[in-house]
């Protein structure tokens, strides 16, 4: 995909280098992290990393897994002949494609859009350029409108995926829906508030500068108990608009992100390997993700859990092999396996929050982050379980036969 492969290579290199340098894998990562005060950070390849506190995410993951105790338990397990391993992976994802000055698809710039209309009833219709694929867009985007305008989420209808009725957009991929479409929605809401403020001033019989706003209502600065609700303003926009103000309460926003966004995280996996069969079992999997401000934490956790399940599958069972004629040998789900609830381990989910400084809501995107960071964590854990035998690498997927062969090869 791009980032997953790069993160996997980096994390395997760091984990392999740590024992050769005589440094704990966690400490080697800490020494090489970009520090919070260095952001925005310009990488050697020209990317501008927006914000981050990578050490905080790693430290939280190590704390939650009980890293020191786990290492002590590992040492005792080895004395008893048990193969226990601990794997770490710290990663940065790149999302929110993308700034039009640098990114396009066949010449079409990669901004995205939102159209927002508030009816006389105070209920809203939001039309999006991005399209949901099961991520819960209807909930997330309704929540953005509710947060910005102070109306109930149930009063927001979200429309998407209809080219006859939806505004122009570049679609949903690369964890870009909230970084682009979410930003466009927030900007559209604020444009609505700007117009609504002039109507509220008309209803309060004052100048616009004398009117204040909190989500849900406008108030008179000199007399805060004098208020008009967003619903009252919406009705007036159609029934009693002030002179010089166009009737209605609707707008469109096309958001061109100034930069990409960079969600990040750290994962720690604890496994035990069966020396006789090569099978391995996940004992603990702690995931700390930082995707900036979380609009709906439950939906974010759902996406993370799904991504971690796929990351586990990549590491454990999904093989893409080719025969001598170059034909793929993983063309069906009997060979290219999809994990079920039976195989998928339990995930312990935690978070840190580092807002994106250039996004209207501070969000960064999250959908693909777990598949970026987790494969290396699982592989690092299994290899760590066998490291004292001299095993340094096993290529994914870590099927039991590969692991067993590595153990036998190490034992001679």
């Amino acid at each position: 995909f791009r980032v997953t492969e790069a993160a996997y290579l980096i994390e395997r290199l760091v984990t392999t280098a740590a024992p050769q340098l005589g440094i704990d894998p966690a400490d080697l990562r800490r020494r090489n992290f970009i520090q919070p005060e260095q952001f925005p950070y310009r990488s050697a390849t020209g990317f501008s990393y927006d914000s981050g506190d990578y050490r905080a995410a790693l430290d939280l993951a190590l704390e939650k897994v009980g890293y020191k105790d786990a290492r002590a338990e590992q040492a005792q397990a080895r004395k008893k002949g048990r193969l226990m391993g601990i794997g770490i992976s710290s990663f940065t994802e790149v999302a929110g494609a993308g700034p039009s000055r640098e990114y396009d698809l066949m010449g079409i710039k990669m901004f995205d859009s939102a159209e927002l209309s508030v009816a006389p009833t105070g209920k809203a219709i939001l039309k999006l350029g991005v399209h949901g694929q099961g991520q819960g867009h209807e909930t997330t985007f309704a929540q953005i409108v509710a947060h910005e305008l102070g109306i109930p989420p149930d009063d927001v209808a979200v429309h998407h995926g209809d080219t006859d009725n939806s505004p122009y957009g570049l679609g949903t991929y690369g964890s870009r829906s909230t970084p682009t479409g979410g930003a466009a929605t927030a900007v559209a809401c604020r444009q609505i508030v700007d117009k609504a403020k002039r109507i509220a001033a008309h209803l309060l019989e004052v100048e616009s500068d004398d009117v204040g706003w909190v989500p849900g209502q406008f108030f008179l600065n000199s007399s805060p108990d004098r208020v008009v609700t967003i619903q009252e303003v919406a009705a007036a926009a159609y029934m009693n608009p002030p002179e010089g103000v166009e009737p209605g309460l609707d707008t469109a926003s096309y958001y061109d992100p100034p930069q990409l966004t960079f969600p990040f995280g750290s994962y720690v996996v604890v496994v035990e390997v069966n020396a006789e069969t090569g099978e391995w079992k996940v004992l603990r999997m702690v995931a700390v993700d930082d995707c900036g401000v979380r609009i709906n934490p439950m939906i974010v956790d759902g996406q993370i859990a799904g991504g971690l399940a796929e990351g586990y599958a990549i590491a454990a069972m999904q093989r893409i092999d080719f025969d001598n004629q170059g034909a793929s040998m993983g063309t069906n789900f009997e060979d290219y396996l999809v994990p079920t609830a039976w195989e998928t381990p339990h995930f312990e989910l935690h978070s840190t929050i580092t807002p994106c400084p250039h996004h209207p809501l501070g969000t960064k995107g999250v959908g693909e982050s777990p598949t970026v960071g987790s494969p290396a964590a699982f592989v690092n854990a299994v290899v760590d379980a066998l490291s004292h035998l001299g095993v340094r690498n096993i290529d994914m997927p870590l099927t039991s036969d590969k692991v067993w062969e590595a153990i036998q090869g190490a034992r001679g």
Side-chain angles (χ1 to χ4, degrees):
F1 168 56
R2 70 194 195 295
V3 185
T4 302
E5 294 86 347
Y8 181 80
L9 175 62
I10 292 169
E11 290 306 296
R12 288 293 297 124
L13 286 173
V14 171
T15 296
T16 303
Q20 297 181 32
L21 297 171
I23 303 172
D24 184 273
D27 290 335
L28 185 56
R29 286 170 171 82
R30 289 190 185 104
R31 294 186 189 189
N32 288 277
F33 282 152
I34 303 167
Q35 299 304 306
E37 64 273 13
Q38 293 178 273
F39 290 97
Y41 181 84
R42 178 69 62 176
S43 74
T45 53
F47 288 92
S48 179
Y49 286 40
D50 51 4
S51 63
D53 192 342
Y54 304 151
R55 177 166 185 158
L58 176 59
D59 287 349
L60 180 59
L62 297 175
E63 173 193 335
K64 294 299 183 181
V65 83
Y67 185 64
K68 291 183 179 180
D69 291 341
R71 284 297 184 195
E73 182 183 353
Q74 180 187 38
Q76 293 300 314
R78 285 179 174 176
K79 292 179 181 178
K80 299 176 182 178
R82 291 171 49 212
L83 303 178
M84 175 180 167
I86 304 166
I88 300 172
S89 175
S90 295
F91 67 93
T92 301
E93 161 72 312
V94 55
S100 64
R101 66 183 181 277
E102 296 174 346
Y103 298 97
D104 64 72
L105 289 177
M106 297 183 293
I108 302 175
K109 300 302 183 181
M110 296 184 69
F111 49 81
D112 229 289
S113 58
E115 294 179 0
L116 179 61
S117 174
V118 182
T121 60
K123 296 185 177 183
I125 297 175
L126 175 67
K127 299 179 181 180
L128 295 169
V130 295
H131 182 19
Q133 302 158 330
Q135 303 97 323
H137 280 186
E138 294 83 356
T139 300
T140 298
F141 284 89
Q143 195 166 332
I144 293 173
V145 176
H147 171 79
E148 291 285 327
L149 297 185
I151 63 178
D154 289 344
D155 286 351
V156 183
V158 178
H159 296 174
H160 56 93
D162 181 355
T163 54
D164 288 335
N165 194 41
S166 299
Y168 166 85
L170 259 291
T172 298
Y173 51 88
S175 302
R176 72 183 299 271
S177 291
T178 305
T180 57
T185 299
V187 171
C189 288
R190 294 169 194 182
Q191 291 172 352
I192 290 285
V193 170
D194 288 342
K195 181 176 181 179
K197 185 177 181 180
R198 297 168 63 191
I199 301 172
H202 168 65
L203 296 177
L204 293 169
E205 299 180 324
V206 296
E207 297 295 324
S208 294
D209 291 343
D210 296 328
V211 176
W213 161 257
V214 294
Q217 64 182 24
F218 295 91
F219 59 89
L220 190 60
N221 288 327
S222 59
S223 181
D225 58 331
R226 287 189 60 192
V227 302
V228 289
T229 66
I230 187 66
Q231 290 82 1
E232 292 171 325
V233 171
Y238 296 88
M239 301 175 184
N240 182 27
E243 185 176 348
V245 174
E246 183 180 1
L249 201 55
D250 52 51
T251 190
S253 171
Y254 289 81
Y255 182 78
D256 186 2
Q259 295 287 348
L260 297 169
T261 61
F262 290 83
F264 61 92
S266 282
Y267 299 155
V268 184
V269 173
V270 181
V271 303
E272 184 162 358
V273 178
N274 185 320
E276 302 304 318
T277 65
E279 295 177 287
W280 53 280
K281 178 181 179 181
V282 178
L283 305 179
R284 299 278 304 279
M285 199 296 172
V286 173
V288 175
D289 280 274
D290 193 317
C291 57
V293 174
R294 296 184 171 208
I295 297 167
N296 188 300
M298 183 180 294
I299 282 182
V300 171
D301 282 350
Q303 292 196 42
I304 291 171
L308 291 175
E310 174 56 21
Y312 168 73
I314 293 170
M317 62 183 67
Q318 292 182 343
R319 62 195 318 158
I320 304 178
D321 296 333
F322 299 88
D323 63 21
N324 292 334
Q325 304 302 314
S328 174
M329 299 171 64
T331 58
N332 58 68
F333 290 131
E334 291 182 347
D335 300 316
Y336 186 90
L337 302 179
V338 176
T340 67
W342 181 265
E343 297 90 11
T344 304
H346 173 67
F347 306 126
E348 303 170 44
L349 306 183
H350 304 277
S351 65
T352 59
I353 297 175
T354 310
C356 173
H358 61 73
H359 189 280
L361 298 171
T363 65
K364 295 190 174 193
V366 71
E368 291 157 310
S369 289
T371 61
V372 170
S374 60
F378 291 112
V379 174
N380 285 342
V382 174
V383 173
D384 182 63
L386 311 180
S387 61
H388 64 296
L389 303 177
V391 175
R392 293 292 176 264
N393 184 61
I394 306 174
D395 289 335
M396 292 191 297
L398 303 190
T399 53
S400 57
D401 59 313
K402 285 186 179 180
V403 177
W404 183 84
E405 289 175 0
I407 294 172
Q408 298 307 308
R411 289 176 171 174

